[in-house]
Amino acid sequence: MDLSALHNFRVAACDLNGQMRGKRVPPVYADKLEKGAVRMPFSALNVDLWGADIDGSPLVFETGDADGVLRPTERGPVPVPWLDTETALVPMSLYDDDGVPFPGDPRHALSAILDRYAQRGWSVVAATELEFTLVDASGAQPQPPVNPITGRRLAAEAVLSVAEMDAFEAFFTDLYDGCAAMGIPAQTAISESGIGQFEINLNHQDAMRCADDTWLFKALTRGLARRHGFAATFMSKPYADDAGNGMHVHFSVLDQTGRNVF
């Protein structure tokens, strides 16, 4: 993807809560990303769920809220299917000015873990199963969305219901198309046990790629849900009296011959 030909693009790294923190960037920066042309405060990756500074965090006042350097990951730019304007997202990681990985970047934390496996001659293959709930977030409190076919608000559980999947066919078609465009290996989708709850599995692959895909999938799902007139949440308990969302992580550890050490 030629970033210089776009009207703009995004750069973003993953914070402690799996949210994207970054910037909208003009195309003049396209050939400067590898040189660390884009900077961002270290504290931006270590905020709370609401995006506010964590009380007592040494990354803010004790450092003078210092900046780090954003550098592209090996993923490279991916399309952003939830926006009307043609643009791209470049996944980034955060470093200090000397090129040392910032330890508060979750991607660096995973890389350090995988390096410990590699020292034994092992590699990690992983997959995730992601549950999310579609909600109507237009009011003060979230509530189940309206069924696009019947025009009635969802009111009951519909585990493994094909009819429930069919009701949101337009959303899921766009979601699978978006996964294909972004290189996310989405597998089967099901209607889960909660009201408006669904699950999609991602295929087994290199653990770092799996983590990146899971992060991108959540952003894609939330963005496309908004385009279809509702919202998607991965929070553990959207409703106090209904089933919660989980994320299952499967992983295997392979030796140099491909044998599962488990």
mmCIF file with all atom_site columns, all heavy atoms in Angstrom, residues 146-159:
data_model
loop_
_atom_site.group_PDB
_atom_site.id
_atom_site.type_symbol
_atom_site.label_atom_id
_atom_site.label_alt_id
_atom_site.label_comp_id
_atom_site.label_asym_id
_atom_site.label_entity_id
_atom_site.label_seq_id
_atom_site.pdbx_PDB_ins_code
_atom_site.Cartn_x
_atom_site.Cartn_y
_atom_site.Cartn_z
_atom_site.occupancy
_atom_site.B_iso_or_equiv
_atom_site.pdbx_formal_charge
_atom_site.auth_seq_id
_atom_site.auth_comp_id
_atom_site.auth_asym_id
_atom_site.auth_atom_id
_atom_site.pdbx_PDB_model_num
ATOM 1   N N   . VAL A 1 146 ? -31.710 -3.598  17.869 1.00 0.00 ? 146 VAL A N   1
ATOM 2   C CA  . VAL A 1 146 ? -32.911 -3.963  17.120 1.00 0.00 ? 146 VAL A CA  1
ATOM 3   C C   . VAL A 1 146 ? -32.539 -4.977  16.042 1.00 0.00 ? 146 VAL A C   1
ATOM 4   O O   . VAL A 1 146 ? -31.536 -4.821  15.345 1.00 0.00 ? 146 VAL A O   1
ATOM 5   C CB  . VAL A 1 146 ? -33.555 -2.712  16.487 1.00 0.00 ? 146 VAL A CB  1
ATOM 6   C CG1 . VAL A 1 146 ? -34.678 -3.089  15.525 1.00 0.00 ? 146 VAL A CG1 1
ATOM 7   C CG2 . VAL A 1 146 ? -34.067 -1.771  17.578 1.00 0.00 ? 146 VAL A CG2 1
ATOM 8   N N   . ASN A 1 147 ? -33.325 -6.026  15.934 1.00 0.00 ? 147 ASN A N   1
ATOM 9   C CA  . ASN A 1 147 ? -33.138 -7.011  14.877 1.00 0.00 ? 147 ASN A CA  1
ATOM 10  C C   . ASN A 1 147 ? -33.386 -6.334  13.532 1.00 0.00 ? 147 ASN A C   1
ATOM 11  O O   . ASN A 1 147 ? -34.476 -5.807  13.286 1.00 0.00 ? 147 ASN A O   1
ATOM 12  C CB  . ASN A 1 147 ? -34.127 -8.166  15.090 1.00 0.00 ? 147 ASN A CB  1
ATOM 13  C CG  . ASN A 1 147 ? -33.967 -9.280  14.080 1.00 0.00 ? 147 ASN A CG  1
ATOM 14  O OD1 . ASN A 1 147 ? -33.853 -9.034  12.885 1.00 0.00 ? 147 ASN A OD1 1
ATOM 15  N ND2 . ASN A 1 147 ? -34.005 -10.506 14.554 1.00 0.00 ? 147 ASN A ND2 1
ATOM 16  N N   . PRO A 1 148 ? -32.396 -6.288  12.617 1.00 0.00 ? 148 PRO A N   1
ATOM 17  C CA  . PRO A 1 148 ? -32.575 -5.578  11.352 1.00 0.00 ? 148 PRO A CA  1
ATOM 18  C C   . PRO A 1 148 ? -33.681 -6.149  10.474 1.00 0.00 ? 148 PRO A C   1
ATOM 19  O O   . PRO A 1 148 ? -34.194 -5.449  9.596  1.00 0.00 ? 148 PRO A O   1
ATOM 20  C CB  . PRO A 1 148 ? -31.204 -5.743  10.674 1.00 0.00 ? 148 PRO A CB  1
ATOM 21  C CG  . PRO A 1 148 ? -30.244 -5.976  11.787 1.00 0.00 ? 148 PRO A CG  1
ATOM 22  C CD  . PRO A 1 148 ? -31.016 -6.786  12.784 1.00 0.00 ? 148 PRO A CD  1
ATOM 23  N N   . ILE A 1 149 ? -34.064 -7.393  10.687 1.00 0.00 ? 149 ILE A N   1
ATOM 24  C CA  . ILE A 1 149 ? -35.103 -8.017  9.865  1.00 0.00 ? 149 ILE A CA  1
ATOM 25  C C   . ILE A 1 149 ? -36.495 -7.768  10.439 1.00 0.00 ? 149 ILE A C   1
ATOM 26  O O   . ILE A 1 149 ? -37.415 -7.335  9.735  1.00 0.00 ? 149 ILE A O   1
ATOM 27  C CB  . ILE A 1 149 ? -34.855 -9.532  9.716  1.00 0.00 ? 149 ILE A CB  1
ATOM 28  C CG1 . ILE A 1 149 ? -33.578 -9.775  8.913  1.00 0.00 ? 149 ILE A CG1 1
ATOM 29  C CG2 . ILE A 1 149 ? -36.045 -10.217 9.045  1.00 0.00 ? 149 ILE A CG2 1
ATOM 30  C CD1 . ILE A 1 149 ? -33.221 -11.236 8.753  1.00 0.00 ? 149 ILE A CD1 1
ATOM 31  N N   . THR A 1 150 ? -36.671 -8.006  11.734 1.00 0.00 ? 150 THR A N   1
ATOM 32  C CA  . THR A 1 150 ? -37.996 -7.885  12.341 1.00 0.00 ? 150 THR A CA  1
ATOM 33  C C   . THR A 1 150 ? -38.310 -6.474  12.818 1.00 0.00 ? 150 THR A C   1
ATOM 34  O O   . THR A 1 150 ? -39.474 -6.118  12.996 1.00 0.00 ? 150 THR A O   1
ATOM 35  C CB  . THR A 1 150 ? -38.119 -8.835  13.544 1.00 0.00 ? 150 THR A CB  1
ATOM 36  O OG1 . THR A 1 150 ? -37.217 -8.400  14.584 1.00 0.00 ? 150 THR A OG1 1
ATOM 37  C CG2 . THR A 1 150 ? -37.781 -10.271 13.138 1.00 0.00 ? 150 THR A CG2 1
ATOM 38  N N   . GLY A 1 151 ? -37.271 -5.679  13.064 1.00 0.00 ? 151 GLY A N   1
ATOM 39  C CA  . GLY A 1 151 ? -37.492 -4.353  13.612 1.00 0.00 ? 151 GLY A CA  1
ATOM 40  C C   . GLY A 1 151 ? -37.776 -4.343  15.098 1.00 0.00 ? 151 GLY A C   1
ATOM 41  O O   . GLY A 1 151 ? -38.078 -3.291  15.670 1.00 0.00 ? 151 GLY A O   1
ATOM 42  N N   . ARG A 1 152 ? -37.689 -5.517  15.741 1.00 0.00 ? 152 ARG A N   1
ATOM 43  C CA  . ARG A 1 152 ? -37.929 -5.611  17.185 1.00 0.00 ? 152 ARG A CA  1
ATOM 44  C C   . ARG A 1 152 ? -36.608 -5.774  17.928 1.00 0.00 ? 152 ARG A C   1
ATOM 45  O O   . ARG A 1 152 ? -35.674 -6.402  17.423 1.00 0.00 ? 152 ARG A O   1
ATOM 46  C CB  . ARG A 1 152 ? -38.865 -6.786  17.500 1.00 0.00 ? 152 ARG A CB  1
ATOM 47  C CG  . ARG A 1 152 ? -40.270 -6.640  16.929 1.00 0.00 ? 152 ARG A CG  1
ATOM 48  C CD  . ARG A 1 152 ? -41.197 -7.703  17.503 1.00 0.00 ? 152 ARG A CD  1
ATOM 49  N NE  . ARG A 1 152 ? -40.788 -9.046  17.130 1.00 0.00 ? 152 ARG A NE  1
ATOM 50  C CZ  . ARG A 1 152 ? -41.205 -9.690  16.036 1.00 0.00 ? 152 ARG A CZ  1
ATOM 51  N NH1 . ARG A 1 152 ? -42.042 -9.096  15.198 1.00 0.00 ? 152 ARG A NH1 1
ATOM 52  N NH2 . ARG A 1 152 ? -40.790 -10.915 15.781 1.00 0.00 ? 152 ARG A NH2 1
ATOM 53  N N   . ARG A 1 153 ? -36.552 -5.230  19.124 1.00 0.00 ? 153 ARG A N   1
ATOM 54  C CA  . ARG A 1 153 ? -35.340 -5.315  19.922 1.00 0.00 ? 153 ARG A CA  1
ATOM 55  C C   . ARG A 1 153 ? -35.124 -6.748  20.405 1.00 0.00 ? 153 ARG A C   1
ATOM 56  O O   . ARG A 1 153 ? -36.070 -7.434  20.790 1.00 0.00 ? 153 ARG A O   1
ATOM 57  C CB  . ARG A 1 153 ? -35.435 -4.360  21.116 1.00 0.00 ? 153 ARG A CB  1
ATOM 58  C CG  . ARG A 1 153 ? -34.104 -4.124  21.815 1.00 0.00 ? 153 ARG A CG  1
ATOM 59  C CD  . ARG A 1 153 ? -34.224 -3.036  22.881 1.00 0.00 ? 153 ARG A CD  1
ATOM 60  N NE  . ARG A 1 153 ? -34.659 -1.759  22.348 1.00 0.00 ? 153 ARG A NE  1
ATOM 61  C CZ  . ARG A 1 153 ? -33.863 -0.898  21.708 1.00 0.00 ? 153 ARG A CZ  1
ATOM 62  N NH1 . ARG A 1 153 ? -32.585 -1.207  21.506 1.00 0.00 ? 153 ARG A NH1 1
ATOM 63  N NH2 . ARG A 1 153 ? -34.333 0.244   21.265 1.00 0.00 ? 153 ARG A NH2 1
ATOM 64  N N   . LEU A 1 154 ? -33.865 -7.222  20.356 1.00 0.00 ? 154 LEU A N   1
ATOM 65  C CA  . LEU A 1 154 ? -33.563 -8.556  20.851 1.00 0.00 ? 154 LEU A CA  1
ATOM 66  C C   . LEU A 1 154 ? -33.929 -8.637  22.335 1.00 0.00 ? 154 LEU A C   1
ATOM 67  O O   . LEU A 1 154 ? -33.625 -7.730  23.109 1.00 0.00 ? 154 LEU A O   1
ATOM 68  C CB  . LEU A 1 154 ? -32.080 -8.877  20.674 1.00 0.00 ? 154 LEU A CB  1
ATOM 69  C CG  . LEU A 1 154 ? -31.510 -8.859  19.242 1.00 0.00 ? 154 LEU A CG  1
ATOM 70  C CD1 . LEU A 1 154 ? -30.045 -9.299  19.264 1.00 0.00 ? 154 LEU A CD1 1
ATOM 71  C CD2 . LEU A 1 154 ? -32.314 -9.748  18.314 1.00 0.00 ? 154 LEU A CD2 1
ATOM 72  N N   . ALA A 1 155 ? -34.559 -9.763  22.713 1.00 0.00 ? 155 ALA A N   1
ATOM 73  C CA  . ALA A 1 155 ? -35.027 -9.869  24.091 1.00 0.00 ? 155 ALA A CA  1
ATOM 74  C C   . ALA A 1 155 ? -34.726 -11.219 24.715 1.00 0.00 ? 155 ALA A C   1
ATOM 75  O O   . ALA A 1 155 ? -35.026 -11.424 25.888 1.00 0.00 ? 155 ALA A O   1
ATOM 76  C CB  . ALA A 1 155 ? -36.535 -9.608  24.147 1.00 0.00 ? 155 ALA A CB  1
ATOM 77  N N   . ALA A 1 156 ? -34.146 -12.145 23.951 1.00 0.00 ? 156 ALA A N   1
ATOM 78  C CA  . ALA A 1 156 ? -33.930 -13.488 24.487 1.00 0.00 ? 156 ALA A CA  1
ATOM 79  C C   . ALA A 1 156 ? -32.601 -14.039 23.991 1.00 0.00 ? 156 ALA A C   1
ATOM 80  O O   . ALA A 1 156 ? -32.056 -13.595 22.981 1.00 0.00 ? 156 ALA A O   1
ATOM 81  C CB  . ALA A 1 156 ? -35.072 -14.415 24.067 1.00 0.00 ? 156 ALA A CB  1
ATOM 82  N N   . GLU A 1 157 ? -32.096 -15.021 24.724 1.00 0.00 ? 157 GLU A N   1
ATOM 83  C CA  . GLU A 1 157 ? -30.881 -15.707 24.298 1.00 0.00 ? 157 GLU A CA  1
ATOM 84  C C   . GLU A 1 157 ? -31.181 -16.546 23.062 1.00 0.00 ? 157 GLU A C   1
ATOM 85  O O   . GLU A 1 157 ? -32.302 -17.030 22.877 1.00 0.00 ? 157 GLU A O   1
ATOM 86  C CB  . GLU A 1 157 ? -30.360 -16.585 25.436 1.00 0.00 ? 157 GLU A CB  1
ATOM 87  C CG  . GLU A 1 157 ? -29.984 -15.791 26.681 1.00 0.00 ? 157 GLU A CG  1
ATOM 88  C CD  . GLU A 1 157 ? -29.578 -16.676 27.838 1.00 0.00 ? 157 GLU A CD  1
ATOM 89  O OE1 . GLU A 1 157 ? -29.765 -17.909 27.726 1.00 0.00 ? 157 GLU A OE1 1
ATOM 90  O OE2 . GLU A 1 157 ? -29.075 -16.155 28.850 1.00 0.00 ? 157 GLU A OE2 1
ATOM 91  N N   . ALA A 1 158 ? -30.152 -16.728 22.232 1.00 0.00 ? 158 ALA A N   1
ATOM 92  C CA  . ALA A 1 158 ? -30.356 -17.460 20.982 1.00 0.00 ? 158 ALA A CA  1
ATOM 93  C C   . ALA A 1 158 ? -29.081 -18.228 20.633 1.00 0.00 ? 158 ALA A C   1
ATOM 94  O O   . ALA A 1 158 ? -28.489 -18.047 19.570 1.00 0.00 ? 158 ALA A O   1
ATOM 95  C CB  . ALA A 1 158 ? -30.744 -16.507 19.854 1.00 0.00 ? 158 ALA A CB  1
ATOM 96  N N   . VAL A 1 159 ? -28.648 -19.101 21.534 1.00 0.00 ? 159 VAL A N   1
ATOM 97  C CA  . VAL A 1 159 ? -27.380 -19.799 21.362 1.00 0.00 ? 159 VAL A CA  1
ATOM 98  C C   . VAL A 1 159 ? -27.390 -20.662 20.099 1.00 0.00 ? 159 VAL A C   1
ATOM 99  O O   . VAL A 1 159 ? -28.354 -21.387 19.827 1.00 0.00 ? 159 VAL A O   1
ATOM 100 C CB  . VAL A 1 159 ? -27.041 -20.635 22.622 1.00 0.00 ? 159 VAL A CB  1
ATOM 101 C CG1 . VAL A 1 159 ? -28.071 -21.734 22.865 1.00 0.00 ? 159 VAL A CG1 1
ATOM 102 C CG2 . VAL A 1 159 ? -25.629 -21.201 22.529 1.00 0.00 ? 159 VAL A CG2 1
#
